[in-house]
Each structure stands twice: as structure tokens, then as C-alpha cells.
Amino acid sequence: MVKKVSMFLFFCSLLVLAACGETNEDGPQAAEDEEVKSLDVAFDVPETADVGESVTLEATVLYGDEPVKDAEEVIFEVWEKGNKEDSSKDLKSTNNQDGTYTVETTFDQDGVYEMYAHTTAKDLHTMPKKSITIGEVNKQEAADEHHSAEHEHGAHTEGFHMHFNQPKDVMVDQETAMTVHLQMNDKPLEQATVRYEVWKEGEEKHHWVDTEETNAGEYTGKHSFSEKGTNYVIVHVENDDGLHEHEEHVVEVTE
């Protein structure tokens, strides 16, 4: 009887050791398989072009070292320097099925233009920025504009980018989602504290809206506007590294 009990305990020990061995063997491999890679976009834009000339904007999308052939969205937003509010965001790209996304566009007047390649893939968002000089522009002025392309609104920390998704068709007493994408040195800015300061034109009372980081570098908060008219939204950004940025936007509530 004692011998049978000993044999039973021996086999139980073997089973426990085998289970532990499988756990230890699979653990590191599973961790390696689940490793989060970075979403990188090489944004290729000519430095100069002529008025009316066809210009190719190209984004090469990589997840780690692998080309992304099925990005959810690649959209090019273009605006004339100093006129960001009138940007055009309808330049949807063509997926070339090799990790590159392109669009052809033209510019109808001289000037320096800036652009984002808004890229969403693998539940991540990134938005590299470039500029292009069109036609006859003073060379020194163009050089200054290119150097300042990294400083939207002329006051941001070097390498920091903020893109506020302008809400459309905002209605009274309807909960409106407001989203901002943040980057630092071409990487999503994660774990920041982002709040929206909201108030109606002519009123002193300001509302504060907290946000949630829904994706890496993407922060969303919801607010219901109580009256129609012009409202202002300041995006406040802070983090533990001492970053403190803000940017003001206008939201029109129609009805």
C-alpha cells in the first residue's frame, strides 16, 4: 500500500514538473510574439515644384521592419504656410500594395506649403510633416520656412506635433467627441495629461474636459455644447518630462 502511494506521488511530481517546463518554455516566446513594434512612416515630398506641376506625395509605411500593405488610412493634409485653418484634408492616397501610399496633386499659386501624412495602421496613428516650396519664393524666406516647419503656430517645443481633429456638424446638447493626435520626434506621445478648455464666445465660464488615451498618442474627450454659436477649445498638454503645450481652436455649433 505504501509503495502504491509513493508511486502515485512520484507520477504527480512528474506531471507538475512537465507543466512548469511547458510554461517556462512558452513564456519568453509568447512575450516575444506579443512585442509591440513601432509604426514608422517615411514621407517623401519634393523640396520644390512649379505652379501647376504634378507633384507626387509618397508615404512608406513600416511596422517594425515589415512593410504595411493594409493600412487603415493614409490621408495627406495640405495647407499654405500660416493658413492652417484652411487646410485640405481630402487627399486620400492610393495603396500600391507594397507598403507605399501615394497621391498626385498640384498647387495653383506660389508659396510655401506644409503637409501631414496622417497614417493609421495596427491600431496606431502617426503624422510625419513635410513642406514644399512652389514657384518663385525668396530663397532665404523659403529656407526659413523649411526650418520652422517643425514649429506649428511658431511656439511648440522642437519635435512636438499636435493635430486636433476639427469636429464637424456640431449640434446643441449633443455629446461631441474631440480627438487630438500628439507626437514627439515622429513617435506617438504617450501617457500625457491632455485636457480641453472650452468656452462660448462672449462668456466668462470655462469648462474643463478630461481625455482618455484611446490609442498610442491619441486622446479623446467628450463635451456637450449648450448653445449654438462660436466656441473656443484650447488643447492643454503636459507630461512628466516637463512638456507644457497648448493650442487654440474654434468650434462652430450650428443648431
Side-chain angles (χ1 to χ4, degrees):
M1 180 66 181
V2 173
K3 183 177 181 180
K4 289 182 179 179
V5 172
S6 299
M7 290 296 291
F8 175 75
L9 293 175
F10 173 73
F11 283 115
C12 286
S13 299
L14 288 178
L15 290 173
V16 171
L17 289 173
C20 291
E22 290 178 2
T23 301
N24 292 337
E25 182 178 351
D26 293 343
Q29 183 63 46
E32 182 178 346
D33 291 342
E34 295 173 2
E35 179 183 357
V36 178
K37 301 175 183 178
S38 63
L39 181 66
D40 297 309
V41 177
F43 191 11
D44 187 20
V45 178
E47 289 188 3
T48 61
D50 294 327
V51 172
E53 178 184 352
S54 180
V55 175
T56 301
L57 311 181
E58 180 179 270
T60 302
V61 184
L62 298 175
Y63 185 60
D65 296 325
E66 295 295 323
V68 177
K69 302 177 182 180
D70 58 351
E72 298 170 35
E73 186 177 68
V74 179
I75 295 180
F76 299 100
E77 179 186 11
V78 183
W79 67 95
E80 188 173 4
K81 178 69 177 180
N83 200 19
K84 178 72 166 59
E85 296 302 320
D86 291 332
S87 66
S88 171
K89 200 181 178 184
D90 57 357
L91 301 181
K92 293 187 177 181
S93 64
T94 297
N95 184 348
N96 299 310
Q97 303 299 322
D98 60 358
T100 64
Y101 300 78
T102 56
V103 71
E104 298 285 332
T105 189
T106 58
F107 299 86
D108 57 8
Q109 62 182 20
D110 296 345
V112 175
Y113 294 82
E114 296 181 333
M115 60 200 73
Y116 283 125
H118 291 282
T119 306
T120 303
K122 308 295 183 183
D123 293 326
L124 298 171
H125 181 87
T126 187
M127 48 183 192
K129 186 179 182 184
K130 290 283 187 175
S131 63
I132 184 172
T133 300
I134 301 298
E136 297 298 325
V137 178
N138 180 276
K139 290 185 178 180
Q140 184 58 49
E141 177 186 350
D144 292 341
E145 295 286 5
H146 281 291
H147 287 143
S148 65
E150 295 295 319
H151 301 277
E152 186 65 34
H153 296 280
H156 284 324
T157 300
E158 183 174 1
F160 175 81
H161 293 301
M162 178 190 303
H163 176 73
F164 179 68
N165 286 354
Q166 192 72 31
K168 296 180 180 179
D169 302 322
V170 181
M171 301 178 67
V172 173
D173 293 331
Q174 183 180 71
E175 191 173 59
T176 300
M178 296 183 289
T179 300
V180 65
H181 297 280
L182 305 177
Q183 284 191 180
M184 178 61 78
N185 298 324
D186 295 328
K187 301 292 183 182
L189 179 62
E190 301 182 66
Q191 299 181 354
T193 300
V194 180
R195 302 177 72 200
Y196 298 129
E197 182 182 1
V198 184
W199 74 97
K200 188 177 185 300
E201 184 177 43
E203 294 186 354
E204 295 184 1
K205 184 177 181 179
H206 290 210
H207 302 274
W208 289 90
V209 180
D210 293 326
T211 68
E212 178 183 356
E213 187 172 6
T214 49
N215 288 306
E218 178 181 288
Y219 300 82
T220 300
K222 297 180 179 180
H223 180 69
S224 294
F225 296 87
S226 59
E227 296 181 41
K228 64 182 298 185
T230 299
N231 288 264
Y232 296 95
V233 177
I234 296 181
V235 185
H236 293 269
V237 180
E238 298 182 51
N239 71 0
D240 293 338
D241 294 329
L243 180 74
H244 190 174
E245 296 285 344
H246 64 276
E247 189 173 287
E248 183 176 311
H249 297 270
V250 176
V251 174
E252 295 291 345
V253 180
T254 56
E255 59 181 64

